[in-house]
Amino acid sequence: MSPLSHLGSVDSVANAPLLIDAMGFRSAFDEIPIDDWIGASTPEQDVTRAARVSERDEFPWYAVEAKHPMRAARRICRLLSRRGEVAAVVAINGADVAMAVAFDDIPVAGFQRGHQAALERSQLENLVGCGESTHLGTAARIARVLATESVGQRFFRAFEAAYVQVVDAMDSKVPLRDRRHVALLQLTRILFLYFVQAKGWLDGREDFLRTEVDRCLASKLSVQRRLLHPLFFGTLNRPVGVRNASVRNYGRIGLFEPHFLERRHKLVIANPSWRDVFDDLFERYRFTVAEGTDQRTIAPDMLGRVFEGLMQSGERKSTGSYYTPASLVDDLLHHSFGAFAAKRTGIEYARATAMIRERSPDLRRLWTDITVLDPAAGSGAFLLGTLTLLAELRFGERANTPAARRRILRHHLFGVDKDPMAVRLAELRLWLAIVAVEEDGPSTKVRPLPNLDCLVRQGDSLRDPLGAAYGSRLSPDIDAYAHAKLRRQVFESHSATKTIHARKLRAAELEATRTCLVTAENRLRDMLAECRTQAADRSLFGERRGPDAQIRKRVRQVRDGLRTVQRHRRKLDREGSLPWFHFEGHFGDVFVRGGGFDLVVGNPPWVRAEDLGRDERRHLKERYAWWRGGSGIGYAHQPDLALAFLERGLELAAPDGVLGFLVPAKFLKTGYATTARDRLANTTTLYALADLTDV
């Protein structure tokens, strides 16, 4: 009898014996007075009910009901261990179930239903038959099962060790930060190749990489130059006939462009280091391009995990970059799409959200022209989730086809992130989403993969000085159809044609940006003329009003804004570039057609003010009204970076668009978010507000 088959039925202490029976122990039910057993329930335990659910001569299993199951299970096991008791605890809160065992004074946490760090299904199955002749032996066996690392955890530890080894193998004269960046770039490319190999696209051989590495080692040829470079840069975004000779000899894959750090430093990693990387890391695991199907294999979401995990703790603290669990991504997207459907159709929100979950064909017309932006895309969790969901909503049974996913990418998805490494990883994950639904077999039958660098862009979504200058939206006066066509041409182009189309798209984006700047100049001049008109107005007694304090302040602000816009317009004319990412220029067709994006979704960085640089804090204060909405002295009263993203997200959304963000719960009560709460309450419709503190 599998414990998995009964897990869904366990939602209270009363039916916990079902799980005990399923694991091969003899169940019972003896309710226990909480105060007599563990003393008064503390906030950490928060236990409301407890019972022994195994027979007296059996290994002791206890079941408790608690608000925070894993926390309660571990605390109770620690208490039992201190008493010298050997036992296991099942803690329950409705659908959430957690297990821990008191063994050798160490409470071993293992399983919590629905969490990313959960015990693998196979490990839960291994709890069946854990009973030994002694209670100590039983506890030891349960502890071994619960403490076993998941495949993903083991892979990450091995990846981390390989990462350190590759960094150390590079020229020590190169700055450490550059070496780390290149090492992560190289290893994630190889990880991508292992996913591609799992599709049979490397000569149709499951052992292609291993045998080719061995061939290079045996012939004393450079693994990096003779194998990895052709695979990385021979490019699968070219048709087979025009791939370079070395790549055609492999039948192969390559997809990338050399990074500027690779060009600058020309770092070469010696064969012994590559041998260890392949032997100790990649060849020890099995890979699959289908996420969430088999927990014994490594899936593409590992790209996001290694990125978040390998960032230095200080860098994570300053950038707020953290991995978002797939369950949260999925939930937020369903609510966001439900709000969009309710807004556009007039259907009640709860019903619209239910129709999204059901993939109702009745809503299919809504998805024809929808645009979705993640302004802090990270390694692509929300873009990937949106790709899957939107393909299912729009194409139904044809969702899991390369054509459907390519179409969603080409027309509907946009992402921006400040970290160039995160952007590269987001591209890899989106490519793998296409690879996953392509046919297995030789790569000679595979269409070139699309160029995503025109859709997932590197840039700072917050650093836009124009909004403060003119105070309202600007849509460039451009041909939206022509602009979108240029982006599609870059998306679909390859080889030399990509360079031509990319140059044309860049020229169109710069012209759209220049149009916005000229429009802003004209608008600001109109504001100055309005101020002069107000100053020239006469009172009821015929006296000239003159420039009072309010008008003078307004004039100063407008003139400052005009100088800023003129400076940037001249720089653009002179250098053909801007020092910030300008959404209305880069995605001008989106703003011309709809005034912004239909959905703005994501998990923006959560960064405390004291972890930001002085210049960045000053810019945020000048640019974002919500950032100025707090009071008090010191960092404790200054906003989180996510607050600026919240205001920016609403700016980037279309007038009838939807914003769906994961933000700090403190926004509900902290003083600095007062302005944000007021504006949200008075100027938007709040469809859903969920407290995920305990998730």
Side-chain angles (χ1 to χ4, degrees):
M1 184 183 302
S2 169
L4 289 172
S5 61
H6 289 287
L7 186 58
S9 303
V10 177
D11 58 6
S12 69
V13 164
N15 48 33
L18 292 173
L19 187 59
I20 305 305
D21 282 329
M23 289 187 293
F25 296 88
R26 289 182 297 165
S27 68
F29 188 85
D30 295 312
E31 193 139 3
I32 303 172
I34 296 171
D35 289 352
D36 294 344
W37 183 43
I38 58 173
S41 181
T42 67
E44 291 83 3
Q45 295 161 354
D46 198 20
V47 176
T48 57
R49 190 181 181 189
R52 174 168 175 148
V53 289
S54 62
E55 291 193 357
R56 287 294 172 183
D57 57 344
E58 279 276 357
F59 176 79
W61 280 92
Y62 296 100
V64 301
E65 292 178 11
K67 183 177 181 180
H68 306 291
M70 181 58 77
R71 190 185 306 172
R74 298 189 68 172
R75 296 276 182 174
I76 293 171
C77 282
R78 184 170 288 112
L79 177 62
L80 297 178
S81 293
R82 289 171 183 165
R83 296 176 181 171
E85 296 183 42
V86 176
V89 174
V90 179
I92 304 162
N93 180 16
D96 288 334
V97 179
M99 286 185 189
V101 61
F103 172 67
D104 195 24
D105 198 31
I106 303 173
V108 182
F111 167 72
Q112 185 162 8
R113 184 181 180 190
H115 283 238
Q116 287 295 317
L119 184 68
E120 290 184 20
R121 292 171 64 90
S122 60
Q123 289 173 281
L124 184 57
E125 295 281 8
N126 287 338
L127 288 173
V128 176
C130 272
E132 293 276 358
S133 59
T134 66
H135 289 178
L136 194 61
T138 300
R141 288 196 60 183
I142 294 173
R144 281 196 296 272
V145 172
L146 294 183
T148 301
E149 288 182 302
S150 69
V151 171
Q153 289 172 312
R154 293 199 303 274
F155 178 84
F156 174 76
R157 288 198 302 109
F159 193 101
E160 187 175 30
Y163 167 75
V164 171
Q165 181 175 355
V166 171
V167 170
D168 290 343
M170 296 179 186
D171 186 351
S172 60
K173 296 179 182 178
V174 174
L176 179 59
R177 182 183 178 85
D178 289 358
R179 283 186 281 144
R180 286 172 173 167
H181 195 112
V182 172
L184 187 55
L185 202 63
Q186 299 264 2
L187 291 174
T188 51
R189 285 172 181 162
I190 297 173
L191 179 55
F192 178 86
L193 292 179
Y194 269 86
F195 290 127
V196 168
Q197 179 177 260
K199 289 290 291 184
W201 287 5
L202 295 181
D203 272 1
R205 293 156 46 192
E206 294 183 356
D207 63 346
F208 170 82
L209 289 166
R210 176 174 58 81
T211 56
E212 291 300 324
V213 169
D214 288 345
R215 182 182 63 80
C216 287
L217 293 173
S219 304
K220 297 184 178 180
L221 300 173
S222 170
V223 171
Q224 183 168 332
R225 290 172 174 164
R226 297 300 294 269
L227 175 65
L228 297 181
H229 278 198
L231 288 173
F232 289 164
F233 309 126
T235 72
L236 186 64
N237 62 348
R238 303 180 183 185
V240 174
V242 298
R243 295 177 192 168
N244 66 46
S246 60
V247 172
R248 285 202 304 274
N249 290 339
Y250 288 141
R252 329 283 182 248
I253 223 65
L255 189 61
F256 315 105
E257 299 289 342
H259 192 274
F260 78 90
L261 288 176
E262 294 173 303
R263 292 191 180 101
R264 175 189 297 173
H265 299 302
K266 302 188 184 306
L267 293 166
V268 177
I269 300 165
N271 276 6
S273 294
W274 282 127
R275 178 198 61 212
D276 293 344
V277 165
F278 281 90
D279 287 348
D280 298 339
L281 175 61
F282 293 110
E283 285 300 320
R284 291 180 177 271
Y285 297 90
R286 293 193 302 113
F287 299 84
T288 178
V289 292
E291 300 208 31
T293 57
D294 185 349
Q295 294 187 21
R296 294 168 296 180
T297 57
I298 303 302
D301 70 328
M302 185 55 67
L303 284 162
R305 293 174 181 273
V306 298
F307 169 67
E308 188 274 324
L310 290 179
M311 290 182 71
Q312 298 302 302
S313 59
E315 189 172 349
R316 283 203 305 272
K317 186 177 181 182
S318 64
T319 63
S321 300
Y322 287 92
Y323 178 81
T324 309
S327 58
L328 284 183
V329 173
D330 183 70
D331 202 37
L332 185 142
L333 287 176
H334 278 83
H335 283 289
S336 299
F337 274 80
F340 178 82
K343 195 175 184 71
R344 292 298 177 92
T345 65
I347 298 173
E348 195 268 333
Y349 165 69
R351 175 57 187 151
T353 303
M355 293 174 72
I356 297 296
R357 294 193 181 279
E358 296 163 3
R359 308 296 191 263
S360 172
D362 295 338
L363 299 177
R364 196 160 291 171
R365 63 182 175 81
L366 293 178
W367 319 124
T368 304
D369 298 312
I370 190 173
T371 55
V372 184
L373 168 73
D374 185 347
S379 57
F382 279 92
L383 293 175
L384 186 66
T386 303
L387 171 62
T388 303
L389 176 59
L390 191 51
E392 293 173 355
L393 290 172
R394 184 171 180 189
F395 296 108
E397 294 179 354
R398 297 181 291 114
N400 292 325
T401 63
R405 293 194 174 186
R406 286 171 186 263
R407 187 170 181 81
I408 296 299
L409 281 172
R410 185 167 58 243
H411 293 283
H412 303 289
L413 297 191
F414 303 86
V416 177
D417 198 90
K418 190 175 180 179
D419 190 320
M421 188 65 206
V423 172
R424 300 287 83 80
L425 291 177
E427 289 179 345
L428 292 185
R429 294 186 70 183
L430 292 171
W431 275 327
L432 287 172
I434 297 176
V435 171
V437 294
E438 292 277 7
E439 292 185 6
D440 294 353
S443 62
T444 53
K445 296 182 179 180
V446 179
R447 283 183 58 197
L449 290 177
N451 298 297
L452 301 179
D453 51 3
C454 57
L455 300 172
V456 186
R457 311 291 288 263
Q458 190 268 321
D460 187 342
S461 292
L462 294 181
R463 189 163 286 275
D464 175 18
L466 293 189
Y470 56 75
S472 61
R473 301 169 186 269
L474 288 178
S475 292
D477 183 15
I478 63 170
D479 184 339
Y481 174 80
H483 196 101
K485 182 180 178 181
L486 283 172
R487 189 185 303 113
R488 288 196 295 271
Q489 287 174 335
V490 174
F491 179 88
E492 296 167 347
S493 63
H494 53 78
S495 197
T497 61
K498 179 189 175 182
T499 303
I500 296 171
H501 291 312
R503 189 181 300 120
K504 291 180 179 179
L505 177 61
R506 174 175 171 76
E509 291 175 346
L510 289 175
E511 183 57 32
T513 300
R514 189 180 188 282
T515 301
C516 286
L517 291 170
V518 171
T519 302
E521 283 187 65
N522 293 334
R523 186 175 295 179
L524 289 164
R525 288 193 179 96
D526 290 342
M527 291 179 183
L528 283 177
E530 183 181 342
C531 290
R532 286 193 292 268
T533 300
Q534 291 175 356
D537 284 346
R538 295 183 181 276
S539 68
L540 292 174
F541 304 101
E543 297 175 350
R544 188 180 297 276
R545 177 183 177 184
D548 59 20
Q550 184 176 359
I551 292 178
R552 288 196 297 271
K553 179 180 179 182
R554 178 64 171 159
V555 167
R556 286 196 300 270
Q557 291 174 339
V558 173
R559 283 177 175 168
D560 287 345
L562 182 58
R563 282 192 291 269
T564 298
V565 172
Q566 288 174 332
R567 183 174 69 252
H568 290 310
R569 195 255 304 157
R570 290 166 186 151
K571 179 179 175 64
L572 180 65
D573 291 341
R574 184 174 62 253
E575 301 177 9
S577 65
L578 276 179
W580 78 86
F581 186 87
H582 188 52
F583 277 88
E584 291 86 347
H586 289 93
F587 303 132
D589 53 310
V590 175
F591 286 86
V592 170
R593 287 175 173 174
F597 295 90
D598 296 310
L599 263 69
V600 179
V601 297
N603 182 8
W606 298 8
V607 184
R608 292 159 57 113
E610 59 264 42
D611 295 321
L612 300 174
R614 180 179 301 175
D615 289 343
E616 186 167 8
R617 291 200 303 271
R618 183 173 61 250
H619 169 73
L620 292 171
K621 185 176 181 180
E622 293 172 353
R623 173 63 176 81
Y624 296 102
W626 295 7
W627 186 270
R628 303 190 295 270
S631 60
I633 300 173
Y635 293 123
H637 300 282
Q638 292 193 26
D640 189 286
L641 187 64
L643 190 67
F645 267 98
L646 193 59
E647 182 176 352
R648 184 64 167 144
L650 286 174
E651 291 178 356
L652 295 171
D656 58 350
V658 170
L659 176 72
F661 271 181
L662 294 173
V663 296
K666 59 188 175 183
F667 283 6
L668 293 176
K669 57 185 178 180
T670 189
Y672 65 65
T674 301
T675 300
R677 292 195 298 270
D678 290 344
R679 297 284 179 86
L680 289 173
N682 294 320
T683 64
T684 70
T685 301
L686 293 174
Y687 283 94
L689 190 64
D691 184 358
L692 305 178
T693 303
D694 299 326
V695 174

